[in-house]
Amino acid sequence: MTEAPDARSKTGRKAKQESRSAEFRQILIAWEQTTEAFRSSLRALARELGTSHQLLKHYLAGLEEWKYEEAYRRLKEQSDEICARAKAENRGLTPWEEQQVRACDRAHIRALAVPPMLRLLERIKREAKRGPLDRCQFKTLEMFARYNYPGAKELLQKCSQVDLKKRKRFAQNVKDTQRQEGEASVSWGRRIWDECEKYETNCPASITVDLLEKY
């Protein structure tokens, strides 16, 4: 069965847009670096590029991760060339070459370790839009700001002007985390532990179902 013309055209447009991914990302990097007051909206930029706002938003969300991956990819190519040349010449690596290979290893570690941290920072940014952060989130944000993660210092400055979420007593956490119908006791207890951690609650040494039901 042949594919419908509309389906073919949509697939073709999608493939063409995906092939421009590097171009879109480079433009988005420049767009991000432009002062907000002087740059066009993301929707206007999408119209200029002949693509969708949704696609640009997708690339923008993963832009920082892509930067680390690209840095590693470039260094990996250089490292492979250096090692291949040394092998072909039947010799060991020079001090400079060893330094380049080590730089590639460090970039690999960053490419693996940084993306999960960036995703955590994005979650904290979303939580900050909904309301005050809890103390754990605030301390994590301070760490991100200390290591110059993108947008962390600006967010920390804003959050510093807002009161943190107030601490809760254990009994209040239990009351606010009612057991759902058919929920296993282990699952219920885990949800309560999560709430206690969020609000820095002092918990009893032993939490039993009888204790939870008492509250």
Side-chain angles (χ1 to χ4, degrees):
M1 181 182 292
T2 58
E3 191 177 17
D6 286 348
R8 284 200 304 270
S9 61
K10 287 179 181 179
T11 303
R13 285 197 300 272
K14 183 177 179 181
K16 185 177 180 180
Q17 288 182 333
E18 289 293 340
S19 68
R20 298 176 63 194
S21 59
E23 174 196 352
F24 291 158
R25 287 185 173 110
Q26 293 299 336
I27 291 173
L28 284 170
I29 289 172
W31 180 83
E32 268 195 327
Q33 293 171 348
T34 304
T35 305
E36 191 171 350
F38 296 100
R39 72 189 184 199
S40 60
S41 68
L42 197 62
R43 290 187 184 279
L45 182 61
R47 286 195 296 269
E48 291 174 20
L49 296 174
T51 187
S52 68
H53 171 258
Q54 184 179 5
L55 185 61
L56 284 193
K57 191 175 180 181
H58 167 72
Y59 285 136
L60 187 62
L63 197 58
E64 289 300 323
E65 292 185 34
W66 178 79
K67 289 178 185 176
Y68 284 98
E69 290 169 357
E70 275 296 288
Y72 168 63
R73 184 187 61 78
R74 290 193 297 269
L75 286 172
K76 182 68 167 60
E77 289 178 355
Q78 295 174 11
S79 176
D80 288 346
E81 289 176 4
I82 288 171
C83 292
R85 183 166 60 248
K87 184 177 181 181
E89 295 173 0
N90 195 26
R91 61 173 176 79
L93 299 177
T94 66
W96 180 85
E97 288 172 335
E98 288 180 352
Q99 185 179 5
Q100 298 305 302
V101 172
R102 285 197 296 271
C104 175
D105 292 338
R106 289 194 296 271
H108 189 201
I109 293 172
R110 287 194 296 271
L112 293 174
V114 171
M117 303 297 281
L118 290 172
R119 288 192 285 273
L120 175 57
L121 178 56
E122 284 302 315
R123 285 201 296 273
I124 293 176
K125 287 179 180 179
R126 290 194 295 271
E127 287 295 324
K129 289 180 179 179
R130 298 189 185 104
L133 298 177
D134 60 51
R135 285 170 176 76
C136 181
Q137 290 169 329
F138 191 82
K139 289 175 183 177
T140 304
L141 181 57
E142 285 181 321
M143 182 271 292
F144 284 136
R146 189 163 58 250
Y147 289 100
N148 296 315
Y149 277 74
K153 285 184 177 179
E154 294 81 0
L155 182 60
L156 179 63
Q157 187 175 6
K158 290 180 181 178
C159 292
S160 298
Q161 301 169 2
V162 180
D163 291 336
L164 297 177
K165 284 182 179 177
K166 294 181 179 180
R167 295 187 180 186
K168 284 186 181 181
R169 293 181 179 275
F170 178 73
Q172 188 61 48
N173 271 327
V174 176
K175 289 179 181 178
D176 292 344
T177 316
Q178 293 293 320
R179 188 171 189 174
Q180 299 169 356
E181 185 177 354
E183 183 177 23
S185 58
V186 173
S187 176
W188 183 31
R190 187 180 298 115
R191 288 198 299 116
I192 292 172
W193 270 114
D194 290 342
E195 287 299 301
C196 290
E197 184 176 326
K198 184 187 297 183
Y199 291 99
E200 295 189 348
T201 303
N202 292 323
C203 299
S206 176
I207 298 179
T208 65
V209 174
D210 290 340
L211 177 64
L212 297 180
E213 289 179 344
K214 174 184 175 182
Y215 286 109

